Amino acid sequence: MADNRAVAYKGPGEVEVIDIPYPDFQLHDGPGVNPANVGRKVNHGAILRTVSTNICGSDQHMVRGRTTAPHDLVLGHEITGEVVEVGRDVEFIQVGDIVSVPFNIACGRCRNCKEGKTGICLNVNPDRPGSAYGYVDMGGWVGGQAEYVLVPYADWNLLKFPDRDQALEKILDLTMLSDIFPTGFHGAYTAKVGPGSTVYIAGAGPVGLAAAVGSQLLGAAVVIVGDMNAERLQQARSFGCETVDLTKGDPQDQIEQILGVPEVDSAVDAVGFEARGHGKDAGEAPATVLNSLMGLTAAGGAMGIPGLYVTGDPGGVDEAAKEGSLSLRLGLGWAKSLSFTTGQCPVMKYNRQLMMAILYDKVQIAKAVNATPIPLEDAPRGYQEFDAGAAKKYVLNPNGYIKAA
C-alpha cells in the first residue's frame, strides 16, 4: 500500500514529519486514539489525497505543550482533499471529487447533528460530545497534516466543490473553509454583527482576521482589531480594519478615540486561554480577554467566543487555570444583559454559503489572512515562525496541488 507522510507532535515545541500507515476504513490503535474507538469500522468514509492542510492556532496550543496531547499525535484538522477511495456505504461522494472537510467530525445521525449542532456530535467521541481530526481528547481520529487522510461519514461531512479547475484556482481561499473562515464568521455571527454594527475583535491571528472579514461580510460599519503584534495589526489594516495596540494598555481608550464612545455593539474573543494581560510587559492572564469584552460591549450586546478554552492546561498560571477555571466578571455581564456563545463552530452551518461567496468573488479570505503555502516537509519551520508571531496563515502542500508553493 502507498506510503504516507504526516506531521506529528513530538513534545513541547517540537514537531516532526514522520512515516505513518496509509489509511484504511477502520480506526487503529495509536497516540490519542480512544480505546473505545479502536477497531471501529468506517465503511461510510472516504480516503483523501490531501490538496491542502493548514497550521492552526489550536494546533499551536498543543505544540507549545499547553494540553495533554500525547507524543506522536498526528496533527491537522484543516483539510481539503481529492477523494481517492470510498467505503462500501458511500453513495454520493465519488472518486475524483475535490472536497472541503469540516474540522469537526459529525455522524449526521444523532440528535445534535440533526439539529445542526455538528460541533457537538454525540457519536464520534466516546469521551464527550464533539470531535476533530488530529486533536487531543477528540476521539483519536488521525490528523490531516499528511499526504492521505481518512474522513468518516463522507456523504454527510464532505463539501464538494462544483468545479475542479475553479476549485484548484481558488484553493488558497477555499482551504480556509475547513475551519478558520467559518469559525471567524461564527464568532461575528454569534456576536450579532449586522448592517451598521460596531465590532471589536480581540486577536489579530488568522481566526481574528477571519472574524474581521466575516464582520465586513455581515455589514459592520466599523471593525476594530486588537493585538500586541505590530505585523498582525498591519495585516488587519490591509483590508480596512481599524486597530488597537494592546501594548499600550486597555483597549477602551483607543476604541473611544476611534468611535467617540468606549463601547461597541459586538465583540469577538479570538485569543482563548493563553491570553495575556494588557500592556507592554503584561504576563499571561487567561481571563483578560473575556473580562475586557464584558466591559467594552454595550449593554444588551453580544460576545462571540471562538477562541479556544480547555479543561486541561498543564502550563496554566495557577491551579485553577490548569483545569480551565477562570475568574470572570460575570456579574458585570449579567448586569449589562450580555449574551455570549462559546464552543466549536458548527462548520456545516456556514461552509457552503461562504464557499459561494469565495467562488463568486465576494470575499478574498486568503489575502486577508496572508495565506502562505509551504511543502509538508517545511511544517516544523512553519510552526516555529507561526509561534513567533508571523502574520501568515501557513498552508501545507503535501502533494503539489498548489503550484505557487
Side-chain angles (χ1 to χ4, degrees):
M1 189 56 72
D3 295 329
N4 195 10
R5 299 278 285 165
V7 181
Y9 169 64
K10 304 298 287 187
E14 183 181 359
V15 300
E16 183 180 321
V17 182
I18 64 172
D19 292 310
I20 65 169
Y22 183 89
D24 58 18
F25 296 101
Q26 181 174 323
L27 270 182
H28 301 278
D29 197 10
V33 179
N34 190 298
N37 265 348
V38 174
R40 186 170 183 164
K41 301 296 184 182
V42 192
N43 295 318
H44 43 67
I47 295 172
L48 309 185
R49 180 186 293 118
T50 305
V51 172
S52 59
T53 176
N54 315 328
I55 296 175
C56 179
S58 298
D59 298 320
Q60 200 71 64
H61 292 306
M62 288 190 292
V63 173
R64 291 187 188 120
R66 296 299 298 268
T67 71
T68 56
H71 293 194
D72 291 324
L73 180 75
V74 174
L75 301 167
H77 56 270
E78 300 191 12
I79 309 162
T80 305
E82 178 177 8
V83 177
V84 293
E85 293 185 54
V86 295
R88 70 183 185 200
D89 296 336
V90 175
E91 292 188 72
F92 309 115
I93 291 294
Q94 299 178 350
V95 170
D97 288 346
I98 304 291
V99 295
S100 179
V101 184
F103 80 90
N104 27 41
I105 303 167
C107 72
R109 295 153 164 80
C110 71
R111 172 182 173 175
N112 283 353
C113 284
K114 289 178 180 180
E115 293 177 355
K117 303 171 185 174
T118 54
I120 43 174
C121 174
L122 299 174
N123 287 331
V124 287
N125 182 1
D127 279 341
R128 67 178 78 166
S131 187
Y133 303 90
Y135 212 83
V136 60
D137 298 331
M138 288 292 186
W141 300 88
V142 177
Q145 288 177 13
E147 293 172 327
Y148 297 89
V149 64
L150 170 69
V151 174
Y153 303 103
D155 283 328
W156 169 252
N157 281 303
L158 296 178
L159 173 67
K160 177 184 173 180
F161 299 136
D163 182 86
R164 177 189 180 90
D165 291 340
Q166 184 187 34
L168 293 177
E169 179 184 344
K170 294 179 175 289
I171 193 60
L172 287 181
D173 291 291
L174 294 171
T175 191
M176 304 304 164
L177 292 173
S178 57
D179 181 357
I180 69 159
F181 195 13
T183 293
F185 188 88
H186 177 66
Y189 182 84
T190 56
K192 301 182 181 178
V193 176
S197 294
T198 57
V199 187
Y200 174 69
I201 298 166
V207 169
L209 298 177
V213 172
S215 296
Q216 292 173 337
L217 201 56
L218 288 164
V222 184
V223 179
I224 306 169
V225 181
D227 205 288
M228 297 182 174
N229 182 312
E231 186 180 357
R232 289 182 171 182
L233 291 175
Q234 177 57 43
Q235 186 65 29
R237 288 192 293 271
S238 74
F239 59 95
C241 298
E242 301 285 347
T243 57
V244 164
D245 181 354
L246 297 176
T247 66
K248 297 179 179 178
D250 188 279
Q252 280 191 277
D253 290 343
Q254 295 177 69
I255 289 173
E256 185 170 19
Q257 291 173 16
I258 296 167
L259 297 177
V261 294
E263 293 182 321
V264 292
D265 302 317
S266 305
V268 179
D269 173 2
V271 177
F273 73 103
E274 287 192 75
R276 293 169 56 191
H278 298 138
K280 185 176 182 181
D281 299 317
E284 187 170 315
T288 297
V289 172
L290 293 172
N291 285 330
S292 173
L293 299 192
M294 295 276 191
L296 60 80
T297 306
M303 297 162 47
I305 309 173
L308 176 68
Y309 289 86
V310 295
T311 56
D313 173 13
V317 294
D318 53 36
E319 290 305 310
K322 288 179 181 178
E323 61 176 26
S325 296
L326 308 181
S327 181
L328 300 180
R329 299 182 68 192
L330 191 58
L332 175 62
W334 188 93
K336 296 173 73 174
S337 294
L338 301 180
S339 61
F340 62 91
T341 302
T342 66
Q344 287 189 33
C345 164
V347 170
M348 294 174 70
K349 181 175 181 178
Y350 308 106
N351 63 351
R352 184 188 177 277
Q353 298 94 313
L354 295 177
M355 174 190 74
M356 296 299 286
I358 290 169
L359 294 180
Y360 287 91
D361 298 318
K362 299 302 182 186
V363 65
Q364 288 79 41
I365 183 66
K367 183 177 180 181
V369 301
N370 195 15
T372 303
I374 60 175
L376 183 73
E377 299 293 334
D378 283 356
R381 173 178 65 84
Y383 271 96
Q384 290 174 355
E385 293 179 1
F386 188 44
D387 190 46
K392 298 177 180 180
K393 176 67 172 178
Y394 286 102
V395 178
L396 302 179
N397 182 28
N399 291 298
Y401 285 88
I402 307 172
K403 302 307 179 185

